[in-house]
Short mmCIF file of all heavy atoms in Angstrom, two decimals:
data_model
loop_
_atom_site.label_atom_id
_atom_site.label_comp_id
_atom_site.label_asym_id
_atom_site.label_seq_id
_atom_site.Cartn_x
_atom_site.Cartn_y
_atom_site.Cartn_z
N VAL A 317 -12.77 14.98 -9.50
CA VAL A 317 -13.22 15.83 -10.57
C VAL A 317 -12.06 16.20 -11.51
O VAL A 317 -12.18 16.13 -12.74
CB VAL A 317 -13.92 17.10 -10.00
CG1 VAL A 317 -14.19 18.11 -11.12
CG2 VAL A 317 -15.22 16.72 -9.30
N VAL A 318 -10.94 16.55 -10.91
CA VAL A 318 -9.76 16.90 -11.72
C VAL A 318 -9.33 15.69 -12.59
O VAL A 318 -9.16 15.83 -13.80
CB VAL A 318 -8.56 17.30 -10.82
CG1 VAL A 318 -7.29 17.50 -11.65
CG2 VAL A 318 -8.90 18.59 -10.06
N LEU A 319 -9.29 14.50 -11.99
CA LEU A 319 -8.87 13.33 -12.72
C LEU A 319 -9.82 13.01 -13.86
O LEU A 319 -9.42 12.81 -14.99
CB LEU A 319 -8.76 12.15 -11.77
CG LEU A 319 -8.48 10.76 -12.39
CD1 LEU A 319 -7.09 10.74 -13.00
CD2 LEU A 319 -8.61 9.66 -11.34
N TYR A 320 -11.13 12.99 -13.56
CA TYR A 320 -12.09 12.59 -14.57
C TYR A 320 -12.23 13.63 -15.65
O TYR A 320 -12.49 13.32 -16.80
CB TYR A 320 -13.44 12.25 -13.93
CG TYR A 320 -13.46 10.83 -13.34
CD1 TYR A 320 -12.85 10.60 -12.12
CD2 TYR A 320 -14.01 9.75 -14.01
CE1 TYR A 320 -12.80 9.32 -11.57
CE2 TYR A 320 -13.99 8.50 -13.49
CZ TYR A 320 -13.37 8.26 -12.27
OH TYR A 320 -13.32 7.00 -11.75
N SER A 321 -12.00 14.93 -15.29
CA SER A 321 -12.06 15.94 -16.38
C SER A 321 -10.87 15.83 -17.29
O SER A 321 -10.95 16.08 -18.49
CB SER A 321 -12.15 17.37 -15.87
OG SER A 321 -12.55 17.43 -14.57
N ALA A 322 -9.71 15.46 -16.70
CA ALA A 322 -8.51 15.36 -17.55
C ALA A 322 -8.65 14.26 -18.61
O ALA A 322 -8.04 14.32 -19.66
CB ALA A 322 -7.29 15.11 -16.68
N PHE A 323 -9.45 13.24 -18.27
CA PHE A 323 -9.62 12.12 -19.23
C PHE A 323 -11.08 11.98 -19.66
O PHE A 323 -11.58 10.88 -19.79
CB PHE A 323 -9.14 10.82 -18.60
CG PHE A 323 -7.69 10.83 -18.26
CD1 PHE A 323 -7.25 11.13 -17.00
CD2 PHE A 323 -6.76 10.49 -19.23
CE1 PHE A 323 -5.90 11.14 -16.66
CE2 PHE A 323 -5.40 10.50 -18.92
CZ PHE A 323 -4.98 10.82 -17.65
N SER A 324 -11.75 13.11 -19.87
CA SER A 324 -13.15 13.00 -20.27
C SER A 324 -13.29 12.63 -21.73
O SER A 324 -12.31 12.78 -22.51
CB SER A 324 -13.87 14.32 -19.99
OG SER A 324 -13.31 15.32 -20.80
N TYR A 333 -3.61 5.79 -23.47
CA TYR A 333 -3.11 6.89 -22.66
C TYR A 333 -1.60 6.68 -22.37
O TYR A 333 -1.22 5.59 -22.10
CB TYR A 333 -3.88 7.01 -21.36
CG TYR A 333 -5.31 7.38 -21.54
CD1 TYR A 333 -6.30 6.72 -20.83
CD2 TYR A 333 -5.68 8.39 -22.40
CE1 TYR A 333 -7.65 7.08 -20.96
CE2 TYR A 333 -7.02 8.77 -22.57
CZ TYR A 333 -8.00 8.09 -21.83
OH TYR A 333 -9.28 8.45 -21.98
N THR B 37 10.56 15.90 -13.53
CA THR B 37 9.44 16.51 -14.19
C THR B 37 9.65 18.02 -14.29
O THR B 37 9.39 18.66 -15.30
CB THR B 37 8.14 16.24 -13.38
OG1 THR B 37 8.02 14.83 -13.21
CG2 THR B 37 6.93 16.75 -14.11
N ILE B 41 10.02 20.02 -17.82
CA ILE B 41 9.12 21.10 -18.23
C ILE B 41 9.90 22.40 -18.43
O ILE B 41 9.70 23.12 -19.40
CB ILE B 41 8.01 21.27 -17.18
CG1 ILE B 41 7.01 20.10 -17.23
CG2 ILE B 41 7.25 22.60 -17.38
CD1 ILE B 41 5.99 20.09 -16.16
N ARG B 52 12.36 11.14 -16.64
CA ARG B 52 10.99 11.15 -16.12
C ARG B 52 10.21 9.97 -16.59
O ARG B 52 9.59 9.25 -15.80
CB ARG B 52 10.28 12.47 -16.55
CG ARG B 52 8.81 12.47 -16.21
CD ARG B 52 8.16 13.78 -16.66
NE ARG B 52 8.05 13.97 -18.08
CZ ARG B 52 7.23 13.31 -18.87
NH1 ARG B 52 6.41 12.41 -18.43
NH2 ARG B 52 7.21 13.55 -20.20
N THR B 109 -5.20 9.24 -7.25
CA THR B 109 -5.92 10.00 -8.28
C THR B 109 -4.90 10.71 -9.20
O THR B 109 -5.00 10.64 -10.40
CB THR B 109 -6.88 11.02 -7.69
OG1 THR B 109 -6.23 11.75 -6.66
CG2 THR B 109 -8.08 10.36 -7.12
N PHE B 110 -3.98 11.43 -8.57
CA PHE B 110 -3.04 12.17 -9.40
C PHE B 110 -2.05 11.29 -10.15
O PHE B 110 -1.48 11.67 -11.16
CB PHE B 110 -2.33 13.28 -8.59
CG PHE B 110 -3.26 14.41 -8.30
CD1 PHE B 110 -3.98 14.51 -7.16
CD2 PHE B 110 -3.46 15.40 -9.27
CE1 PHE B 110 -4.85 15.55 -6.92
CE2 PHE B 110 -4.35 16.45 -9.07
CZ PHE B 110 -5.05 16.51 -7.87
N LEU B 111 -1.89 10.06 -9.65
CA LEU B 111 -1.04 9.12 -10.42
C LEU B 111 -1.62 8.87 -11.80
O LEU B 111 -0.88 8.75 -12.79
CB LEU B 111 -0.91 7.79 -9.65
CG LEU B 111 0.07 6.84 -10.32
CD1 LEU B 111 1.50 7.27 -10.08
CD2 LEU B 111 -0.13 5.42 -9.82
N GLY B 112 -2.96 8.83 -11.86
CA GLY B 112 -3.64 8.63 -13.18
C GLY B 112 -3.18 9.72 -14.15
O GLY B 112 -2.82 9.42 -15.30
N ILE B 113 -3.17 10.96 -13.67
CA ILE B 113 -2.75 12.03 -14.55
C ILE B 113 -1.25 11.97 -14.80
O ILE B 113 -0.78 12.16 -15.93
CB ILE B 113 -3.11 13.40 -13.90
CG1 ILE B 113 -4.61 13.50 -13.76
CG2 ILE B 113 -2.57 14.56 -14.76
CD1 ILE B 113 -5.09 14.81 -13.13
N PHE B 114 -0.48 11.67 -13.76
CA PHE B 114 0.96 11.64 -13.92
C PHE B 114 1.44 10.58 -14.87
O PHE B 114 2.35 10.79 -15.69
CB PHE B 114 1.59 11.45 -12.52
CG PHE B 114 3.10 11.57 -12.52
CD1 PHE B 114 3.71 12.77 -12.85
CD2 PHE B 114 3.90 10.47 -12.23
CE1 PHE B 114 5.09 12.90 -12.90
CE2 PHE B 114 5.28 10.58 -12.27
CZ PHE B 114 5.86 11.79 -12.60
N VAL B 115 0.82 9.43 -14.84
CA VAL B 115 1.26 8.32 -15.69
C VAL B 115 0.67 8.43 -17.11
O VAL B 115 1.38 8.21 -18.08
CB VAL B 115 0.92 6.95 -15.07
CG1 VAL B 115 1.20 5.82 -16.03
CG2 VAL B 115 1.69 6.75 -13.80
N PHE B 116 -0.60 8.78 -17.21
CA PHE B 116 -1.27 8.73 -18.49
C PHE B 116 -1.51 10.07 -19.14
O PHE B 116 -1.97 10.15 -20.26
CB PHE B 116 -2.63 8.03 -18.34
CG PHE B 116 -2.55 6.61 -17.87
CD1 PHE B 116 -2.74 6.27 -16.52
CD2 PHE B 116 -2.26 5.58 -18.74
CE1 PHE B 116 -2.68 4.97 -16.07
CE2 PHE B 116 -2.16 4.27 -18.31
CZ PHE B 116 -2.41 3.97 -16.99
N GLY B 117 -1.28 11.19 -18.43
CA GLY B 117 -1.82 12.44 -18.86
C GLY B 117 -0.90 13.48 -19.43
O GLY B 117 -1.29 14.63 -19.65
N ARG B 118 0.40 13.11 -19.74
CA ARG B 118 1.35 14.13 -20.20
C ARG B 118 0.80 14.92 -21.42
O ARG B 118 0.97 16.10 -21.53
CB ARG B 118 2.67 13.53 -20.51
CG ARG B 118 3.77 14.56 -20.83
CD ARG B 118 4.13 15.41 -19.60
NE ARG B 118 4.96 16.57 -19.91
CZ ARG B 118 4.50 17.79 -20.06
NH1 ARG B 118 3.19 18.02 -19.99
NH2 ARG B 118 5.30 18.79 -20.27
N GLU B 119 0.15 14.19 -22.32
CA GLU B 119 -0.35 14.81 -23.56
C GLU B 119 -1.67 15.53 -23.37
O GLU B 119 -2.16 16.21 -24.23
CB GLU B 119 -0.48 13.76 -24.65
CG GLU B 119 0.73 12.88 -24.89
CD GLU B 119 1.98 13.72 -25.25
OE1 GLU B 119 1.84 14.67 -26.05
OE2 GLU B 119 3.07 13.38 -24.75
N ARG B 120 -2.32 15.24 -22.25
CA ARG B 120 -3.71 15.70 -22.09
C ARG B 120 -3.85 16.93 -21.22
O ARG B 120 -4.85 17.62 -21.29
CB ARG B 120 -4.54 14.58 -21.46
CG ARG B 120 -4.82 13.45 -22.42
CD ARG B 120 -6.01 12.66 -21.92
NE ARG B 120 -6.65 11.97 -23.02
CZ ARG B 120 -7.95 12.03 -23.26
NH1 ARG B 120 -8.74 12.72 -22.48
NH2 ARG B 120 -8.45 11.38 -24.30
N VAL B 121 -2.90 17.16 -20.35
CA VAL B 121 -3.05 18.30 -19.43
C VAL B 121 -1.91 19.28 -19.64
O VAL B 121 -0.88 18.93 -20.23
CB VAL B 121 -3.09 17.84 -17.94
CG1 VAL B 121 -4.25 16.88 -17.70
CG2 VAL B 121 -1.75 17.23 -17.51
N GLY B 122 -2.09 20.51 -19.14
CA GLY B 122 -1.05 21.52 -19.30
C GLY B 122 0.07 21.30 -18.37
O GLY B 122 0.03 20.42 -17.48
N ASN B 123 1.18 22.07 -18.56
CA ASN B 123 2.36 21.92 -17.76
C ASN B 123 2.11 22.12 -16.26
O ASN B 123 2.68 21.39 -15.44
CB ASN B 123 3.42 22.92 -18.19
CG ASN B 123 4.09 22.51 -19.51
OD1 ASN B 123 3.95 21.33 -19.91
ND2 ASN B 123 4.72 23.46 -20.16
N VAL B 124 1.27 23.09 -15.95
CA VAL B 124 1.07 23.42 -14.54
C VAL B 124 0.37 22.25 -13.83
O VAL B 124 0.85 21.78 -12.79
CB VAL B 124 0.25 24.70 -14.37
CG1 VAL B 124 -0.04 24.96 -12.90
CG2 VAL B 124 1.00 25.87 -14.99
N LEU B 125 -0.71 21.77 -14.41
CA LEU B 125 -1.43 20.66 -13.81
C LEU B 125 -0.53 19.40 -13.75
O LEU B 125 -0.56 18.66 -12.78
CB LEU B 125 -2.72 20.36 -14.55
CG LEU B 125 -3.57 19.21 -13.99
CD1 LEU B 125 -3.86 19.41 -12.51
CD2 LEU B 125 -4.87 19.05 -14.76
N TYR B 126 0.28 19.22 -14.82
CA TYR B 126 1.15 18.05 -14.82
C TYR B 126 2.17 18.11 -13.69
O TYR B 126 2.38 17.13 -12.96
CB TYR B 126 1.85 17.89 -16.18
CG TYR B 126 2.49 16.54 -16.29
CD1 TYR B 126 1.69 15.39 -16.50
CD2 TYR B 126 3.83 16.36 -16.13
CE1 TYR B 126 2.26 14.15 -16.55
CE2 TYR B 126 4.41 15.10 -16.18
CZ TYR B 126 3.61 14.00 -16.40
OH TYR B 126 4.17 12.73 -16.46
N MET B 127 2.77 19.28 -13.55
CA MET B 127 3.74 19.47 -12.45
C MET B 127 3.06 19.27 -11.10
O MET B 127 3.62 18.61 -10.19
CB MET B 127 4.30 20.91 -12.58
CG MET B 127 5.49 21.18 -11.65
SD MET B 127 6.93 20.17 -12.03
CE MET B 127 7.36 19.57 -10.43
N CYS B 128 1.87 19.84 -10.96
CA CYS B 128 1.12 19.67 -9.70
C CYS B 128 0.84 18.22 -9.42
O CYS B 128 0.89 17.76 -8.25
CB CYS B 128 -0.22 20.44 -9.74
SG CYS B 128 -0.01 22.22 -9.66
N SER B 129 0.55 17.44 -10.48
CA SER B 129 0.26 16.03 -10.30
C SER B 129 1.50 15.31 -9.78
O SER B 129 1.41 14.45 -8.89
CB SER B 129 -0.17 15.36 -11.60
OG SER B 129 -1.30 16.02 -12.10
N ALA B 130 2.66 15.66 -10.34
CA ALA B 130 3.91 15.02 -9.87
C ALA B 130 4.10 15.30 -8.37
O ALA B 130 4.44 14.39 -7.61
CB ALA B 130 5.10 15.54 -10.68
#
Side-chain angles (χ1 to χ4, degrees):
Chain A
V317 170
V318 173
L319 174 66
Y320 280 78
S321 341
F323 297 95
S324 63
Y333 295 135
Chain B
T37 306
I41 290 174
R52 172 179 68 73
T109 48
F110 285 95
L111 185 75
I113 298 180
F114 186 64
V115 172
F116 298 99
R118 186 67 191 98
E119 308 300 320
R120 288 200 155 229
V121 301
N123 285 343
V124 175
L125 180 54
Y126 193 75
M127 189 64 228
C128 288
S129 302

